[in-house]
Amino acid sequence: MIRFKLSTSLENVRPEIEYVLRVWAKNQGLEISFGDDFDNGISIGRDDESHLKISADFVNTPTAFALSSLHAGKKYIIENAFKLLNCVQEYCHTDVDDLGRFKFRNSYQYQLKNHTENLVQKLFEHLSTQVGVTPVSQKTKFFLTHDIDLVNGAILEDGFYVLKRGRVDLFLKMLFNVAMCKPDWLNIDKIMKLESEYDCRSTFFWIVNKGKINQRERNADYSFNASKIQDQLKEVTRNKFENGIHKSISSESFADEFKKFGTTPFSNRYHYLKFQLPDAFHDIDAAGLQLDASLGFAEEIGFRNSYGLPFNPYNIKEQSPFAFIEAPLHVMDRTFFQYKKSSTEEAEKDILGFFERNKTNCLLSVLWHNNFFTNYKFKGYLDIYKRILAYIRDNKFETINSHDIVKNYSITHEH
């Protein structure tokens, strides 16, 4: 048991400090306690004699984000970890992209080119050293996911691709599949079969609303209640994979969409990764979701909050952790196809290189859309995914589901 003694001068940020230390203790597999009368406790205060120092700025405004104070060094470990973990840099940020999202180019990670570095882990390891504990390392795990945005688009997008190359036979085959109510992108069974061959399991996120919102944005191109879709959801469950909700960009609340989903889902990912912080954290918590998997940059791979593991975000208003777990997103197919416009060779090199640099102390979340499993418009992306699965198998990494993530990483279920 490691005991921490907090200075009375830190009373107004005591909950924030205790929160970070609980996340650190979960990370390092330690038991901790807090008190004011520990003679031999680890002291936390504002003076230089304290084991761990807190700045006056953090005491006054814990949600302020200053680049100059953020680094993986010896100073202000606790407050740096707090700000990075919870993406404080995004709070009330008004310079957003055409979808209303926080821009990667405005991020701390972009400015210092450290988006692939697990910086909070380094802070935690240094904290362990500071309090006389040998840092603990754990083997990385994987969280495989698929957002089901489109199932009927193959006849247009893949169809145009094959017709342009003179493959009328392939186009006619696609037409036949549509006529048989088995469009090429309704391939959930094939994805599960492929992953099972590598002893992997994944989660599928489904949209309950259909149609275009505007010229840029659209929800699903399928009706969630259609029998062919509902049959796929049942097959996912039967095969011991998972279904979650893919919160649409309609104005409906989570509660409204849950009614269409048929139950309160365990997990969510926002469609287009469209959300704003900290409002989204409050919406997820109020909805009763157990896990969210949205915290990633669309434009780049890596760590949006500079941390490699799932965590309970912090509720600034209530000064306590939210009950749900955030499992950040790290790698997405569209990042390379749409935003970076990489070749498949470049994409594979970047992805596997990122994995190699983070073989410990991470739960690496991968998103591969169902339409990227056909070798027409998205030619080469199926092969990349197969190499991802082979990498997981060959390195003996474990894939875990959302229920295991909540069980393994939550700090709120312990109290």
Side-chain angles (χ1 to χ4, degrees):
M1 175 72 70
I2 298 177
R3 294 173 169 84
F4 291 95
K5 182 179 181 179
L6 276 68
S7 166
T8 55
S9 66
L10 304 176
E11 201 58 38
N12 68 314
V13 288
R14 184 187 187 101
E16 287 78 10
I17 294 170
E18 291 189 1
Y19 158 78
V20 172
L21 291 173
R22 287 171 62 192
V23 177
W24 163 75
K26 171 65 72 171
N27 178 290
Q28 294 289 292
L30 299 169
E31 292 187 10
I32 60 174
S33 62
F34 305 94
D36 298 322
D37 56 352
F38 294 147
D39 292 333
N40 60 344
I42 304 297
S43 61
I44 304 175
R46 292 172 56 182
D47 56 90
D48 291 334
E49 287 70 36
S50 300
H51 291 97
L52 299 169
K53 190 175 180 181
I54 303 297
S55 73
D57 289 340
F58 188 67
V59 173
N60 295 328
T61 53
T63 56
F65 191 92
L67 283 179
S68 60
S69 69
L70 290 171
H71 55 89
K74 298 180 179 180
K75 198 173 183 182
Y76 307 138
I77 296 173
I78 292 175
E79 58 197 78
N80 286 351
F82 176 85
K83 293 175 183 180
L84 290 172
L85 269 174
N86 292 285
C87 299
V88 171
Q89 64 176 334
E90 301 186 32
Y91 290 13
C92 304
H93 209 287
T94 56
D95 182 21
V96 295
D97 70 6
D98 60 340
L99 289 173
R101 303 176 302 192
F102 178 73
K103 295 178 181 177
F104 172 62
R105 291 183 66 88
N106 288 336
S107 71
Y108 158 76
Q109 290 82 3
Y110 172 81
Q111 292 178 48
L112 296 189
K113 295 180 172 54
N114 60 14
H115 55 93
T116 61
E117 296 180 41
N118 193 355
L119 295 179
V120 174
Q121 183 67 35
K122 294 180 181 178
L123 289 171
F124 283 168
E125 289 169 0
H126 187 72
L127 196 156
S128 294
T129 302
Q130 289 284 85
V131 302
V133 174
T134 301
V136 172
S137 180
Q138 55 184 309
K139 190 169 185 176
T140 285
K141 296 181 174 64
F142 279 78
F143 180 42
L144 302 178
T145 65
H146 312 285
D147 293 355
I148 312 303
D149 304 335
L150 309 168
V151 300
N152 298 309
I155 193 65
L156 292 176
E157 297 191 41
D158 280 352
F160 179 77
Y161 178 91
V162 298
L163 282 176
K164 194 174 179 180
R165 286 153 181 78
R167 294 300 303 272
V168 178
D169 58 324
L170 293 176
F171 182 72
L172 292 175
K173 181 181 178 182
M174 291 180 192
L175 282 176
F176 177 78
N177 290 340
V178 171
M180 298 299 291
C181 295
K182 293 180 179 179
D184 285 39
W185 288 355
L186 192 60
N187 52 2
I188 313 305
D189 55 339
K190 295 177 181 177
I191 295 173
M192 290 191 292
K193 183 176 183 295
L194 172 63
E195 291 175 339
S196 295
E197 291 172 358
Y198 291 86
D199 196 25
C200 293
R201 294 291 184 274
S202 62
T203 298
F204 297 85
F205 292 103
W206 302 85
I207 304 177
V208 299
N209 288 323
K210 178 183 179 181
K212 280 191 173 183
I213 301 297
N214 52 50
Q215 199 62 32
R216 171 71 171 87
E217 302 169 275
R218 62 176 172 176
N219 284 315
D221 72 343
Y222 57 86
S223 296
F224 180 74
N225 289 325
S227 58
K228 66 180 182 182
I229 300 298
Q230 289 299 308
D231 287 346
Q232 293 291 312
L233 271 84
K234 291 173 184 174
E235 279 298 295
V236 168
T237 301
R238 189 181 69 81
N239 285 285
K240 295 183 170 41
F241 287 65
E242 286 189 331
N243 292 306
I245 196 167
H246 198 24
K247 177 66 178 73
S248 79
I249 52 173
S250 301
S251 59
E252 293 179 347
S253 67
F254 271 116
D256 292 332
E257 296 200 14
F258 290 174
K259 290 176 183 177
K260 297 178 181 180
F261 197 76
T263 184
T264 299
F266 191 86
S267 59
N268 167 71
R269 175 176 286 137
Y270 282 96
H271 188 29
Y272 290 110
L273 305 181
K274 183 178 180 178
F275 59 89
Q276 291 184 333
L277 297 178
D279 294 347
F281 286 158
H282 289 276
D283 293 341
I284 294 163
D285 194 64
L289 287 155
Q290 299 295 304
L291 180 141
D292 180 72
S294 309
L295 195 65
F297 291 117
E299 309 100 309
E300 186 57 88
I301 64 172
F303 304 110
R304 183 161 168 170
N305 70 333
S306 295
Y307 187 48
L309 293 175
F311 69 107
N312 295 90
Y314 190 75
N315 186 334
I316 297 290
K317 293 180 180 178
E318 300 295 329
Q319 284 195 294
S320 64
F322 285 109
F324 74 92
I325 282 286
E326 180 66 45
L329 173 63
H330 304 116
V331 172
M332 177 175 69
D333 44 22
R334 279 202 177 276
T335 297
F336 298 95
F337 183 84
Q338 179 177 338
Y339 294 95
K340 295 169 70 74
K341 302 189 185 305
S342 303
S343 67
T344 52
E345 292 79 14
E346 291 169 335
E348 180 181 334
K349 180 181 178 181
D350 283 356
I351 292 169
L352 296 183
F354 174 67
F355 294 165
E356 277 292 298
R357 290 190 297 275
N358 293 283
K359 296 177 82 168
T360 59
N361 302 313
C362 290
L363 176 78
L364 295 177
S365 175
V366 177
L367 163 56
W368 226 252
H369 293 81
N370 55 306
N371 47 320
F372 279 73
F373 283 82
T374 55
N375 258 326
Y376 302 120
K377 178 178 179 179
F378 304 105
K379 185 175 178 60
Y381 278 85
L382 171 58
D383 293 333
I384 295 176
Y385 194 70
K386 287 179 179 179
R387 291 190 178 96
I388 291 173
L389 295 178
Y391 179 88
I392 293 171
R393 179 198 60 198
D394 295 346
N395 287 276
K396 296 181 171 56
F397 291 119
E398 181 184 357
T399 58
I400 63 175
N401 63 25
S402 57
H403 288 76
D404 288 333
I405 293 171
V406 171
K407 179 181 177 182
N408 293 342
Y409 298 102
S410 176
I411 62 171
T412 62
H413 291 189
E414 302 170 337
H415 297 265

